[in-house]
């Protein structure tokens, strides 16, 4: 049990750092998005993300350990890519910039979905239902955000394929 608990705590420290980085990145992503719905989606997820940080702190407390963040290099890289996407987007058509931003956001969500899926499974294995339930709540929020971005991209994809005249080639 001690071994599993250690793995769980390490992974939670990684996620705490990841979420902290997102709290800083999401306002920039919201500002960069042109589509009002996408702008709003990032704003909503920012509020959710702040709640996820609090939820993680609650989990650390339930596990009787200090809420310590451990540098998450993967999220650092994803956020850096996101910033590049924002910078490059300034030279692009609005719809193209938004689609690229959506890709960056979905890569981030998928990383989080992987992370929370794993920690939830470990918590279940440890028989810690309270912790597993809290982590499952965050997992659901990440999955919902991912699906929402997919939905928001559908009209943008239509628009982009018209604008570029892809069918005329
Ligand atoms: Fe998150």
């Amino acid at each position: 049990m001690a071994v599993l608990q250690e793995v769980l705590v390490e992974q939670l420290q990684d996620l705490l750092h990841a979420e902290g980085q997102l709290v800083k990145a999401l306002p920039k992503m919201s500002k960069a998005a042109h589509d009002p719905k996408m702008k709003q989606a990032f704003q909503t997820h920012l509020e959710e993300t702040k709640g996820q940080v609090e939820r993680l702190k609650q989990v650390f407390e339930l596990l009787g350990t200090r809420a310590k963040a451990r540098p998450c290099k993967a999220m650092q890289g994803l956020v850096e890519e996101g910033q590049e996407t924002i910078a490059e987007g300034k030279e692009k058509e609005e719809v193209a910039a938004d689609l690229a931003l959506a890709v960056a956001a979905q890569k981030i969500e998928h990383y989080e979905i992987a992370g929370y899926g794993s920690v939830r499974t470990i918590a279940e294995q440890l028989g810690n239902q309270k912790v597993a339930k809290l982590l499952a709540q965050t997992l659901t929020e990440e999955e919902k955000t991912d699906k929402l971005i997919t939905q928001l991209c559908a009209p943008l994809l239509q628009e982009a394929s018209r604008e570029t005249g892809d069918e005329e080639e």
Side-chain angles (χ1 to χ4, degrees):
M1 285 301 228
V3 176
L4 258 190
Q5 170 111 2
E6 198 183 310
V7 175
L8 177 60
V9 169
E10 277 174 11
Q11 294 303 320
L12 290 167
Q13 289 171 342
D14 178 281
L15 282 167
L16 184 62
H17 193 255
E19 298 289 14
Q21 290 186 75
L22 270 186
V23 169
K24 290 183 210 149
L26 279 164
K28 294 176 196 162
M29 292 167 76
S30 176
K31 198 171 160 238
H34 302 90
D35 180 70
K37 285 182 186 159
M38 196 177 295
K39 223 179 234 307
Q40 182 56 53
F42 290 144
Q43 201 58 43
T44 303
H45 196 51
L46 169 64
E47 293 316 312
E48 261 173 3
T49 302
K50 288 178 188 167
Q52 292 170 354
V53 170
E54 290 315 306
R55 205 176 276 142
L56 279 173
K57 287 182 181 165
Q58 220 179 318
V59 165
F60 281 111
E61 207 177 309
L62 283 167
L63 294 171
T65 169
R66 197 164 67 84
K68 195 179 88 180
R70 208 167 72 121
C72 173
K73 287 184 193 154
M75 184 59 82
Q76 236 162 309
L78 288 167
V79 166
E80 267 172 40
E81 261 196 33
Q83 276 163 354
E84 274 173 30
T85 303
I86 290 171
E88 288 164 9
K90 289 178 181 149
E91 315 293 323
K92 285 192 177 112
E93 299 264 344
E94 291 189 1
V95 65
D98 280 2
L99 282 169
L101 190 59
V103 174
Q106 283 191 301
K107 284 180 182 172
I108 290 172
E109 288 315 308
H110 280 242
Y111 177 76
E112 292 193 284
I113 290 166
Y116 280 104
S118 300
V119 287
R120 184 209 45 195
T121 303
I122 298 170
E124 275 170 358
Q125 184 64 35
L126 278 165
N128 196 331
Q129 291 311 323
K130 264 190 192 167
V131 166
K133 211 175 148 198
L134 284 168
L135 297 171
Q137 276 174 24
T138 297
L139 180 59
T140 303
E141 288 175 359
E142 313 293 21
E143 286 169 343
K144 268 173 56 191
T145 302
D146 178 50
K147 286 202 186 89
L148 176 62
I149 298 171
T150 298
Q151 283 169 15
L152 296 179
C153 282
L156 299 179
L157 287 166
Q158 291 286 332
E159 195 186 323
S161 57
R162 274 199 305 272
E163 270 187 23
T164 51
D166 282 344
E167 61 273 60
E168 288 164 29
E169 294 290 314

